[in-house]
Amino acid sequence: METILFNDSPEDLYKAAELIKNGEIVGIPTETVYGLGADASNEDAVRKIFTAKGRPADNPLIVHLADFNDAVKYTSHIPEIAYKLADEFCPGPLTIILPKNDKIPSVTSGGLDTVGIRVPAHPVMRRIIEISGCPIAAPSANTSGYPSPTTASHVMYDMSGKISAVVDGGQSEFGLESTVISIENEDTVRILRPGCVTSEHLSRICRNVIIDKAILKEVEAGETVSSPGMKYKHYSPQADIVLLEGAIEAFTEYVGRNYGDDVYGLIFDTDAESFPYRYLTYGSNDSQLAHNIFSKLRELDEMGAKKVFVRAPSKEGVGLAVYNRLIRAAGFEVIRI
């Protein structure tokens, strides 16, 4: 099929919303990354998402709503703590796992009896939800396993000819997918996928915040997961990614011992002056690293990199989210130097 590139004019947003109402797939900007949007209640439309992405069927999709109060239409129970979290973080980059009802088909939830609910902040996504009148399932709009898209051109590169349209809403603000949490009880939440809503943020509302073990470790074969991004190799460019933990001096020495044709470093901005080998930088603080990581991984592919040694971020705050994406991009190959 021909994939149409829309802009964010009112006319084009109506066209995009009509496509979704009619069971088609549209690449839509959000403040996190671009999403591959379809009517979450339409089984045939949702299957088109899995086909376009090449996504495993047991990897659940997040459902996007214009207002958190609409979650009552698609869930069987909403704990009081979920409303408190929504008051603080919605609209925004937070997804809350809740028990679903029959309006969300099994194909959308990956066969689970729960569904992730998010209220996006991006005005384009919000307007398309409102016009279409649909709950929109929207995983990242990339080929499954490849770095998530943060611009419309990234989506067109991956999805041209596979989906009906892409809406260009500019570059994503955060650059990483939403934080996904489950609710253990009225005092405790568990982070299943870290994002720009951090454990420190959540601690303002919840007494206890648990970091799930799968954030830093590989999920065992056959294990059921409740959130996207917990299972399978993710976020990986064509280049071989190796994550290195250590000071810049040790990092530089290690790269030097393993340097050759088509080898690059992906380093912090502050490392550039002393690093003598081919490199790209991806920021000087955790928020910048998050904003840039996926676009830089894609850029390294465009440059012909075959192996990339990445300077590991911290595991604090937003740094944990960046680290989580990088260990999955590296297939859990981490070297401490």
Side-chain angles (χ1 to χ4, degrees):
M1 69 177 70
E2 179 186 358
T3 300
I4 303 167
L5 181 60
F6 290 140
N7 60 38
D8 59 359
S9 67
E11 296 79 11
D12 276 2
L13 297 191
Y14 270 94
K15 292 175 184 176
E18 282 297 313
L19 285 170
I20 287 175
K21 283 173 66 174
N22 292 328
E24 299 300 328
I25 310 302
V26 178
I28 311 173
T30 82
E31 73 278 20
T32 56
V33 299
Y34 273 68
L36 206 56
D39 179 354
S41 64
N42 183 329
E43 293 187 29
D44 291 337
V46 171
R47 288 192 179 93
K48 291 179 183 179
I49 291 178
F50 286 93
T51 299
K53 283 179 63 72
R55 182 185 179 96
D58 63 346
N59 203 359
L61 305 182
I62 291 169
V63 173
H64 297 71
L65 305 175
D67 190 313
F68 187 78
N69 289 324
D70 291 337
V72 296
K73 301 175 185 177
Y74 308 105
T75 59
S76 60
H77 174 65
I78 303 177
E80 185 61 31
I81 188 64
Y83 285 107
K84 292 178 182 177
L85 290 163
D87 285 344
E88 182 73 14
F89 300 112
C90 297
L94 180 68
T95 295
I96 304 174
I97 303 291
L98 296 169
K100 76 177 188 70
N101 65 24
D102 291 342
K103 290 185 179 180
I104 298 299
S106 180
V107 65
T108 302
S109 66
L112 302 174
D113 58 4
T114 57
V115 63
I117 298 292
R118 183 164 103 81
V119 180
H122 198 290
V124 168
M125 178 61 139
R126 293 179 62 78
R127 188 61 182 142
I128 290 174
I129 297 170
E130 290 166 354
I131 297 169
S132 70
C134 300
I136 294 184
S140 55
N142 57 303
T143 301
S144 189
Y146 199 60
S148 299
T150 55
T151 66
S153 62
H154 292 162
V155 184
M156 289 296 287
Y157 181 86
D158 283 17
M159 292 292 148
S160 183
K162 300 178 182 179
I163 63 175
S164 294
V166 176
V167 180
D168 189 346
Q171 187 167 14
S172 299
E173 177 186 356
F174 293 114
L176 289 180
E177 300 84 355
S178 63
T179 303
V180 180
I181 62 169
S182 61
I183 296 172
E184 305 280 302
N185 55 54
E186 287 296 334
D187 291 323
T188 305
V189 299
R190 179 183 298 270
I191 298 178
L192 303 176
R193 183 180 71 186
C196 291
V197 175
T198 67
S199 60
E200 291 82 3
H201 294 138
L202 293 167
S203 294
R204 299 202 301 259
I205 308 299
C206 305
R207 183 177 302 172
N208 305 306
V209 179
I210 300 168
I211 306 294
D212 194 89
K213 65 179 182 179
I215 286 174
L216 296 175
K217 294 182 180 179
E218 190 169 10
V219 172
E220 295 181 10
E223 187 173 346
T224 300
V225 298
S226 300
S227 166
M230 295 180 73
K231 198 173 184 181
Y232 308 109
K233 187 177 181 181
H234 272 291
Y235 319 115
S236 185
Q238 296 169 17
D240 180 23
I241 300 297
V242 181
L243 191 60
L244 300 181
E245 290 185 355
I248 184 58
E249 295 81 9
F251 180 93
T252 302
E253 181 183 350
Y254 189 94
V255 173
R257 293 200 309 269
N258 294 273
Y259 196 62
D261 293 341
D262 305 322
V263 173
Y264 285 77
L266 186 57
I267 59 177
F268 308 148
D269 291 2
T270 50
D271 300 334
E273 188 173 337
S274 62
F275 191 72
Y277 307 111
R278 284 184 297 269
Y279 70 88
L280 289 180
T281 64
Y282 71 124
S284 58
N285 59 53
D286 290 341
S287 294
Q288 291 176 3
L289 302 183
H291 181 76
N292 293 324
I293 183 59
F294 289 143
S295 62
K296 293 297 183 179
L297 290 176
R298 285 175 174 264
E299 187 177 346
L300 285 159
D301 272 352
E302 294 171 5
M303 296 168 66
K306 300 300 181 188
K307 175 166 281 193
V308 180
F309 294 101
V310 183
R311 185 111 192 269
S314 75
K315 298 174 191 171
E316 302 296 325
V318 178
L320 177 65
V322 183
Y323 191 99
N324 167 263
R325 303 320 192 264
L326 283 169
I327 58 171
R328 280 161 170 74
F332 294 88
E333 183 177 0
V334 182
I335 299 173
R336 295 169 178 84
I337 49 175

